Amino acid sequence: MTSQANNLNQGTIAVRGGLNTDDQYGSVVPVITPSTCYRYEEFAKPREFDYARKANPSRRLVEETVAKLEGGVDAILTNCGMSAIHLISVALLAPNDLVVAPHDCYGGSYRLFNSLSQKGYFKVKFVDQSDLVALQEALSLHPKLVLIETPSNPLLRVVDIKKIAQQAHDVGALVLVDNTFMTPILQKPLELGADIVTHSCTKFLNGHSDLLAGILVFKDQQLATDVLWWANNIGTLTSSFDSYLLLRGLRTLAARVNLQQDNAQKVVAFLASHPKIAKVFHPSLPTNLGHDIAKKQQKGFGSLLSFELAGDADVMPKFLKALNIFTLAQSLGGVESLVCHPATMTHSGISAEARKTAGISDQLLRISVGLEDITDLLADLQQALETI
Ligand SMILES: *Cc1c(COP(=O)(O)O)cnc(C)c1O
């Protein structure tokens, strides 16, 4: 890795990732390297890069930048968040190995672990990690890998990374944290004891909702090298062009995350005092599960929140139709504000019964607060609430 930016703060690391790396023309912004292959210096003497499935310069710049942001030694950039989680599963797990994952983890991760375990690739146990007895019981089965995802989706429940990581290590498990919702600006899982951090870079890290990518960041170089062997083996890696765009998005990460969070805090305050809102879920609220943990574990409460509309089923379509700025779409973490109805969108694959047990009501909406002017965002919510 380049020595530049080792002792710098995160805002600086993000802005300066890969700058001034072009020795040929001195371009400030890094060049894009689409080449799939690299000329050998001579017989039996490859350069740093030889074939792009394994590594390429554009991808490398993103990996170095995100590794520094998370405080890891190395990273592997993949073509989406799911392929990063798939890669770590394939690299680490053998039949009969057990993964312990949160019962309310990202739906795609739930489906991946479930479907692969049904084919016999490994075993999986989903537990409520805020339930210490259930967690202990799962850990007593000696899992190989423990996935932590906090705050959870869509209720923003927070669990204690440090405590769970310690207990997982006591039984010899590796700890993987999905840090997509927080970003390294607000939460540093490796410092809290995790071995690996993963992101859907599709969300906050890119921040512009125009590419898919995923990443794994490692605390241990040998583990990173072993997983990279698998990445090259199965071919999970992302393109130079997407890598370039992602690096461009990363430059504004700290600014975006902080401003989106400020906006979200104002949306939370507005909704919490509105008579047509039944409940608000955000880690900043003392009523939220894990609020006290969030206060010490996170550097901020983030820009995702959810809330329940008061009234009966017919208010939901009316409210969503009346919104002009908040767009009804599934993703999160972009500069644009989005609203999502988990019961019919992100969590529609789960049975109504299971949704009810998980606390996801049909009146629940999740919002990803963007970078629009807060006055306009609040006015949009206000006028839409007036229609119901
Ligand atoms: C979106 C998401 C993923 C999957 O990422 P893709 O880039 O869509 O494959 C994984 N984990 C979390 C928490 C996510 O939000």
Side-chain angles (χ1 to χ4, degrees):
M1 307 224 314
T2 54
S3 61
Q4 188 205 19
N6 269 344
N7 306 313
L8 298 172
N9 292 302
Q10 284 177 307
T12 312
I13 295 168
V15 168
R16 300 202 62 91
L19 294 187
N20 304 321
T21 48
D22 169 34
D23 291 334
Q24 189 175 8
Y25 297 112
S27 63
V28 172
V29 168
V31 294
I32 303 172
T33 44
S35 188
T36 53
C37 46
Y38 294 84
R39 192 173 72 241
Y40 274 51
E41 284 189 37
E42 57 185 76
F43 171 70
K45 206 169 167 203
R47 296 168 196 262
E48 179 181 357
F49 299 100
D50 53 20
Y51 187 62
R53 182 172 0 94
K54 184 170 155 208
N56 89 34
S58 296
R59 199 155 64 218
R60 200 67 200 124
L61 295 179
V62 179
E63 291 166 340
E64 287 174 355
T65 304
V66 179
K68 280 177 197 153
L69 286 170
E70 286 286 4
V73 297
D74 206 349
I76 300 172
L77 187 64
T78 67
N79 56 36
C80 71
M82 286 323 303
S83 68
I85 296 173
H86 184 208
L87 171 60
I88 202 71
S89 314
V90 171
L92 293 182
L93 303 168
N96 293 323
D97 284 342
L98 174 69
V99 185
V100 168
H103 71 310
D104 53 359
C105 67
Y106 177 71
S109 308
Y110 191 94
R111 182 177 56 197
L112 179 80
F113 288 139
N114 229 357
S115 54
L116 289 179
S117 74
Q118 279 162 10
K119 285 193 136 203
Y121 285 97
F122 49 77
K123 292 186 287 189
V124 65
K125 198 165 173 55
F126 296 101
V127 293
D128 178 352
Q129 295 180 344
S130 68
D131 178 343
L132 297 180
V133 176
L135 181 65
Q136 267 315 326
E137 220 171 85
L139 292 179
S140 71
L141 302 170
H142 292 275
K144 185 86 187 280
L145 181 69
V146 173
L147 172 71
I148 302 173
E149 191 181 316
T150 175
S152 72
N153 181 16
L155 296 174
L156 292 314
R157 292 171 168 161
V158 173
V159 294
D160 193 326
I161 296 174
K162 201 170 177 177
K163 212 183 222 169
I164 299 171
Q166 219 160 42
Q167 292 175 340
H169 286 155
D170 285 347
V171 296
L174 281 168
V175 175
L176 168 68
V177 175
D178 187 331
N179 204 24
T180 300
F181 275 27
M182 283 280 98
T183 83
I185 305 301
L186 300 180
Q187 179 166 278
K188 301 274 292 282
L190 296 180
E191 286 177 0
L192 297 167
D195 302 290
I196 311 153
V197 168
T198 190
H199 283 272
S200 168
C201 307
T202 313
K203 316 291 170 54
F204 287 99
L205 295 196
N206 180 52
H208 294 75
S209 306
D210 53 6
L211 65 85
L212 290 158
I215 202 160
L216 296 166
V217 185
F218 298 87
K219 195 187 255 173
D220 176 69
Q221 186 60 57
Q222 188 54 50
L223 185 58
T225 306
D226 292 348
V227 177
L228 182 62
W229 185 90
W230 277 100
N232 181 47
N233 189 24
I234 57 183
T236 53
L237 298 147
T238 201
S239 76
S240 301
F241 294 101
D242 281 353
S243 301
Y244 174 78
L245 274 180
L246 175 53
L247 192 61
R248 194 177 195 269
L250 273 172
R251 301 197 190 290
T252 53
L253 179 68
R256 281 186 284 109
V257 165
N258 287 321
L259 196 48
Q260 284 176 242
Q261 173 172 258
D262 289 351
N263 276 354
Q265 207 60 60
K266 289 171 187 150
V267 172
V268 168
F270 170 80
L271 294 173
S273 64
H274 199 288
K276 287 179 181 165
I277 301 297
K279 271 187 206 162
V280 183
F281 301 92
H282 187 244
S284 67
L285 298 169
T287 47
N288 230 68
L289 190 102
H291 166 71
D292 289 332
I293 302 166
K295 275 199 293 192
K296 60 178 182 11
Q297 176 166 281
Q298 304 172 189
K299 283 188 217 113
F301 297 117
S303 54
L304 285 156
L305 59 108
S306 55
F307 59 95
E308 282 176 17
L309 291 177
D312 45 30
D314 60 346
V315 299
M316 179 61 66
K318 251 196 241 169
F319 174 75
L320 289 172
K321 190 157 187 235
L323 286 171
N324 294 316
I325 298 178
F326 289 86
T327 306
L328 186 62
Q330 299 229 7
S331 196
L332 57 100
V335 294
E336 72 290 345
S337 293
L338 299 179
V339 60
C340 157
H341 182 237
T344 55
M345 295 164 72
T346 49
H347 293 66
S348 60
I350 304 173
S351 71
E353 190 63 34
R355 278 201 303 274
K356 202 169 162 206
T357 317
I360 303 168
S361 95
D362 289 352
Q363 295 294 83
L364 186 78
L365 289 171
R366 185 192 73 196
I367 279 185
S368 173
V369 182
L371 275 184
E372 299 91 342
D373 190 290
I374 186 61
T375 320
D376 295 329
L377 292 179
L378 296 181
D380 193 33
L381 291 168
Q382 173 76 40
Q383 64 80 24
L385 285 167
E386 275 163 20
T387 67
I388 64 172

